[in-house]
Amino acid sequence: RLGSVGGPAATWTAAGLAAGTYRVSATWTTHPNRATDAAYTVTDGAGNTLASRTVNQELEPDDRTVDGANWEDLGTVTLTASGALVVRLAASANEYLIADAVRFELVPPPPPPPPPGAVTIVNDSDPGFAAGAGWAAGPAG
């Protein structure tokens, strides 16, 4: 973990990534003296901006927990060809900036839609089923 007030920006680079869609997230340690305007930018290897997000580092990252660490999503971005993603944390902020870690997660593509006229059956053991009040489990059959 690095902390800074002013100075150069912090950057993380993930090179050799396959083409695809990536969820990019960051984590940091919280404290009342952290920046409330930490500005992150996600670019491709050519420097094209793909996403940007300003976060409050006084607050705990809360979009997901992976391997015991809390993460805040900076954006979901797509590489149309294999290459690199770069995350930049701007050096200018109102308090201490924390440059801890960045996560690049390849997002699997959605399943293809069923063909026209296809029938989908969802039963009471599938994740797409929900029973309202007044329903009770009964014998299978």
Side-chain angles (χ1 to χ4, degrees):
R1 293 181 184 101
L2 300 175
S4 175
V5 175
T11 59
W12 297 260
T13 302
L17 296 175
T21 299
Y22 291 83
R23 178 183 297 120
V24 182
S25 309
T27 190
W28 56 85
T29 55
T30 63
H31 191 275
N33 71 354
R34 303 296 193 242
T36 61
D37 61 349
Y40 289 89
T41 304
V42 182
T43 61
D44 61 18
N48 299 305
T49 298
L50 304 176
S52 60
R53 174 115 189 263
T54 300
V55 301
N56 181 346
Q57 289 189 332
E58 290 182 355
L59 304 176
E60 186 76 24
D62 64 0
D63 286 326
R64 68 193 69 259
T65 301
V66 179
D67 297 329
N70 294 326
W71 299 88
E72 189 75 19
D73 291 341
L74 303 177
T76 301
V77 300
T78 300
L79 284 176
T80 56
S82 60
L85 288 173
V86 179
V87 174
R88 180 179 183 271
L89 174 58
S92 174
N94 59 359
E95 294 185 80
Y96 284 99
L97 287 163
I98 300 301
D100 193 343
V102 169
R103 186 169 190 271
F104 302 88
E105 176 188 0
L106 182 61
V107 177
V119 175
T120 301
I121 298 172
V122 177
N123 70 32
D124 64 354
S125 63
D126 289 336
F129 174 79
W135 286 90

